[in-house]
Amino acid sequence: MKRTIATAKPLCDAVGIEMQLHDGLREINYGDWEGKTVEEVKKDYEEDYINWLTEPAWNAPTNGGETSVEIASRSSLVIAEIQEKYKSGNVLVVSHKATIRILLCSLLGIDLGRYRYRIGALAASVSIVKFDVRGPLLEVLGDRSYMDENLRNLPGT
């Protein structure tokens, strides 16, 4: 959670609010793949890797990795807690790219196995979801207009 804390802390400090950490918003658990390059995973876990690429909703990274369904379940619990605690106003949620995309798919009724191909929320982007009596409404997706143009257009981010 070091990156999420580093992202959220300046805003929390600026507005004088205490940061709250929620395990349900952590990054995907990659199991045995943690710390390995894509090339190593392809070589050492070829079948599992292909299955995960094909259907991540139901296929997890080898030995302890998480499926998209598991990530959606844990992150949705955090959102439900936030909705219960804060009936109105704005709440900043900071997490990791895959977790955010999976959570957005879950909120919007998009197939969890297609999170990589349906939600284009890049690193350091801002998305805004409005909750009302009709449910969640995605108002902004993956905005990075606040960034310097050179940073905003870096490949792979």
Side-chain angles (χ1 to χ4, degrees):
M1 285 198 172
K2 290 178 184 176
R3 290 177 295 158
T4 56
I5 291 170
T7 300
K9 188 171 180 359
L11 181 62
C12 290
D13 291 347
V15 297
I17 58 173
E18 183 180 337
M19 186 182 327
Q20 299 174 35
L21 303 178
H22 293 274
D23 193 49
L25 296 173
R26 71 184 181 280
E27 178 60 292
I28 182 175
N29 181 341
Y30 286 101
D32 286 351
W33 303 356
E34 289 286 348
K36 297 188 183 313
T37 66
V38 172
E39 290 74 26
E40 291 171 319
V41 171
K42 284 180 188 178
K43 178 181 171 276
D44 297 340
Y45 308 96
E46 182 179 9
E47 186 176 342
D48 288 350
Y49 182 69
I50 291 169
N51 290 337
W52 179 72
L53 283 179
T54 304
E55 189 50 76
W58 303 108
N59 294 292
T62 312
N63 291 331
E66 291 180 287
T67 65
S68 301
V69 170
E70 292 168 324
I71 295 164
S73 177
R74 67 171 159 83
S75 60
S76 293
L77 291 173
V78 175
I79 298 303
E81 181 183 322
I82 290 169
Q83 288 180 290
E84 180 64 30
K85 189 172 181 179
Y86 302 99
K87 300 291 185 190
S88 64
N90 297 320
V91 176
L92 173 67
V93 175
V94 179
S95 188
H96 299 270
K97 188 168 77 169
T99 303
I100 291 169
R101 293 186 298 167
I102 291 166
L103 178 58
L104 288 172
C105 283
S106 178
L107 290 171
L108 301 172
I110 298 170
D111 180 350
L112 297 174
R114 303 293 160 252
Y115 75 91
R116 294 183 199 108
Y117 313 112
R118 300 293 182 263
I119 299 291
L122 298 173
S125 67
V126 175
S127 296
I128 299 174
V129 178
K130 178 182 177 181
F131 292 87
D132 64 23
V133 295
R134 293 176 296 275
L137 172 66
L138 182 62
E139 292 189 327
V140 176
L141 175 63
D143 179 40
R144 297 193 328 166
S145 62
Y146 70 92
M147 297 174 84
D148 178 86
E149 188 174 344
N150 294 325
L151 291 174
R152 190 171 50 235
N153 296 321
L154 283 177
T157 57

